[in-house]
Amino acid sequence: MAGLSEGGNEPPGSLKAISYVPIPDAFEKYIRRIPYMHDEEYVASKLSSKDKSKFLVLPEVADKARVLYHIKEYSTLLDSCNMAMESWIRIALDIQVSTESHA
């Protein structure tokens, strides 16, 4: 499973700021802190040191296989409020490629 992020948005400086700017790695760092989106205990006990930073793991669900996933972040961060159609197509194609490679 793969996730795509156009970049996390954080207010520059004060919470009273009007505009937001994309910040590299902000989305994945945020997701890693949410227990229902990432099981850090499983990662620490079951994954190799190489895979620990590569994958996120959903919490265990009774009688179900574990879901490992990764988030692909573009090197030039995108702002979804200000994207051209070409950017949306790029995201869709990346989802398609990732889905086909994990099928």
Side-chain angles (χ1 to χ4, degrees), residues 59-100:
E60 184 175 18
V61 177
D63 300 325
K64 301 289 181 183
R66 284 299 186 120
V67 175
L68 279 68
Y69 66 104
H70 70 276
I71 296 173
K72 178 178 180 174
E73 183 173 278
Y74 299 123
S75 58
T76 301
L77 299 178
L78 305 172
D79 180 350
S80 59
C81 293
N82 191 23
M83 287 183 359
M85 184 58 68
E86 292 79 16
S87 296
W88 290 108
I89 292 169
R90 177 183 177 195
I91 292 170
L93 292 173
D94 282 347
I95 292 170
Q96 180 182 18
V97 167
S98 180
T99 302
E100 289 171 353

Side-chain angles (χ1 to χ4, degrees), residues 10-45:
E10 295 287 331
S14 162
L15 291 176
K16 296 180 183 177
I18 295 171
S19 64
Y20 289 84
V21 295
I23 297 175
D25 300 319
F27 182 68
E28 183 170 339
K29 286 177 183 175
Y30 178 74
I31 293 297
R32 286 186 179 278
R33 296 189 320 244
I34 302 173
Y36 56 86
M37 295 295 295
H38 179 61
D39 185 344
E40 189 60 43
E41 289 180 19
Y42 180 88
V43 169
S45 66

